[in-house]
Amino acid sequence: GLRENDIIAAVGEVSTYQMSTEEAVTYIRGEEGTTVELTIYREGEPDYLYFTVERKRVESPTVNSEMKGDIGYIQITEFGEVTVNQFSEAYEALESQGMKGLVLDLRSNPGGLLTSVVDIARQILPEGLIVYTEDKYGQREEFTCDGKNQIDIPLAVLINGNSASASEILAGAIQDYGIGTIVGTTTYGKGVVQNIFGLSDGSAIKLTISNYFTPNGNNIHGIGIKPDVEIELDADKYYNEDIDTQMEKALEIVSEKINE
């Protein structure tokens, strides 16, 4: 029953007003099999909503895939250490099933490892820059692709306002090279590279060390990537009829290109 953009107003009897996400999570988490009461504010509803949620361990894969007719579908939820191999396996499996076009879903992907997104980009991009970074001293580091695995089938990429960082790197490169159609809503706009540095007491500090730029030199920090085809997700259709309007548009675009 919970939806994207729901706001947790209380956990049990504890209000989350002015509470950090990390603090709220300490109240939500608990022993597997127990339940927690959530009070939800949802825009458009006349009053608060109440949900009882069972606690359990969540171990989600970073890549999900399936065939939708003759079009392959790959969702990447984040770019972790295991994502590159999971993407390769999914892509090969779809090819073996006769994939004629691909929809790549990066919606609500918060990012992850730069090395991971670069390695995935090398499996579909043409020869050239994938992304480059510049630090405050102007020192530039480039990540390139040899183009030997450039995708040769129609491609659409789904994005939204929660697509950030590494997912914007991939979507931005695909858009700059014109090898796919970007569909959805403007991305988050996180165009910085951050590293975590361990401290002697066991704690750590996360520092922004550089900005990144798309192959065409675009700095999307605070701006985001604007889709080629802008379409909002119709929440009523999605939650009540299980119809994903953004997905349908992406499939329509790929299908038209297959039949050109």
Side-chain angles (χ1 to χ4, degrees), residues 57-165:
R57 184 178 299 277
V58 178
E59 296 178 351
S60 300
T62 61
V63 175
N64 300 299
S65 64
E66 63 177 295
M67 287 293 293
K68 295 181 179 291
D70 57 1
I71 299 173
Y73 168 77
I74 297 179
Q75 177 194 40
I76 305 177
T77 59
E78 64 178 310
F79 292 93
E81 292 181 357
V82 299
T83 309
V84 178
N85 287 338
Q86 290 181 358
F87 177 84
S88 300
E89 291 170 2
Y91 194 91
E92 290 173 6
L94 295 176
E95 281 187 317
S96 69
Q97 297 175 63
M99 173 175 65
K100 295 182 180 179
L102 175 66
V103 172
L104 180 60
D105 193 346
L106 301 178
R107 289 178 294 179
S108 298
N109 180 324
L113 300 176
L114 178 61
T115 52
S116 177
V117 70
V118 165
D119 285 344
I120 288 175
R122 286 174 176 148
Q123 299 184 44
I124 58 175
L125 290 183
E127 182 178 2
L129 271 175
I130 298 170
V131 64
Y132 67 91
T133 64
E134 283 187 3
D135 64 17
K136 65 180 181 180
Y137 305 108
Q139 294 179 322
R140 175 165 165 161
E141 183 177 9
E142 296 184 350
F143 300 84
T144 60
C145 176
D146 60 18
K148 292 180 180 179
N149 302 306
Q150 180 178 346
I151 191 169
D152 59 358
I153 57 176
L155 170 66
V157 181
L158 287 165
I159 56 172
N160 65 11
N162 292 317
S163 303
S165 193

Side-chain angles (χ1 to χ4, degrees), residues 26-260:
T26 64
Y27 290 97
I28 296 170
R29 284 179 175 159
E31 185 178 348
E32 189 169 10
T34 61
T35 60
V36 60
E37 304 290 332
L38 300 179
T39 302
I40 299 296
Y41 167 78
R42 181 177 297 164
E43 187 175 355
E45 294 290 339
D47 202 354
Y48 288 110
L49 305 175
Y50 302 92
F51 294 93
T52 301
V53 181
E54 182 178 351
R55 296 180 172 107
K56 63 180 179 179
R57 184 178 299 277
V58 178
E59 296 178 351
S60 300
T62 61
V63 175
N64 300 299
S65 64
E66 63 177 295
M67 287 293 293
K68 295 181 179 291
D70 57 1
I71 299 173
Y73 168 77
I74 297 179
Q75 177 194 40
I76 305 177
T77 59
E78 64 178 310
F79 292 93
E81 292 181 357
V82 299
T83 309
V84 178
N85 287 338
Q86 290 181 358
F87 177 84
S88 300
E89 291 170 2
Y91 194 91
E92 290 173 6
L94 295 176
E95 281 187 317
S96 69
Q97 297 175 63
M99 173 175 65
K100 295 182 180 179
L102 175 66
V103 172
L104 180 60
D105 193 346
L106 301 178
R107 289 178 294 179
S108 298
N109 180 324
L113 300 176
L114 178 61
T115 52
S116 177
V117 70
V118 165
D119 285 344
I120 288 175
R122 286 174 176 148
Q123 299 184 44
I124 58 175
L125 290 183
E127 182 178 2
L129 271 175
I130 298 170
V131 64
Y132 67 91
T133 64
E134 283 187 3
D135 64 17
K136 65 180 181 180
Y137 305 108
Q139 294 179 322
R140 175 165 165 161
E141 183 177 9
E142 296 184 350
F143 300 84
T144 60
C145 176
D146 60 18
K148 292 180 180 179
N149 302 306
Q150 180 178 346
I151 191 169
D152 59 358
I153 57 176
L155 170 66
V157 181
L158 287 165
I159 56 172
N160 65 11
N162 292 317
S163 303
S165 193
S167 59
E168 293 175 292
I169 288 176
L170 185 55
I174 289 170
Q175 187 176 59
D176 280 5
Y177 284 111
I179 63 169
T181 304
I182 312 300
V183 181
T185 56
T186 302
T187 59
Y188 183 83
K190 184 183 179 185
V192 296
V193 181
Q194 297 174 310
N195 274 0
I196 296 175
F197 299 89
L199 303 177
S200 59
D201 64 354
S203 62
I205 185 169
K206 180 189 285 187
L207 293 178
T208 299
I209 60 170
S210 58
N211 292 321
Y212 76 73
F213 300 82
T214 70
N216 287 348
N218 298 318
N219 181 352
I220 58 88
H221 191 64
I223 300 170
I225 294 172
K226 186 176 180 180
D228 302 313
V229 177
E230 187 163 5
I231 178 171
E232 296 276 353
L233 179 69
D234 188 322
D236 287 337
K237 285 188 176 180
Y238 183 77
Y239 292 111
N240 298 324
E241 302 175 44
D242 197 27
I243 295 175
D244 185 336
T245 48
Q246 292 174 325
M247 173 70 72
E248 287 193 335
K249 188 62 177 179
L251 291 170
E252 176 188 326
I253 290 169
V254 172
S255 180
E256 287 175 353
K257 290 185 178 296
I258 290 173
N259 296 319
E260 283 180 353

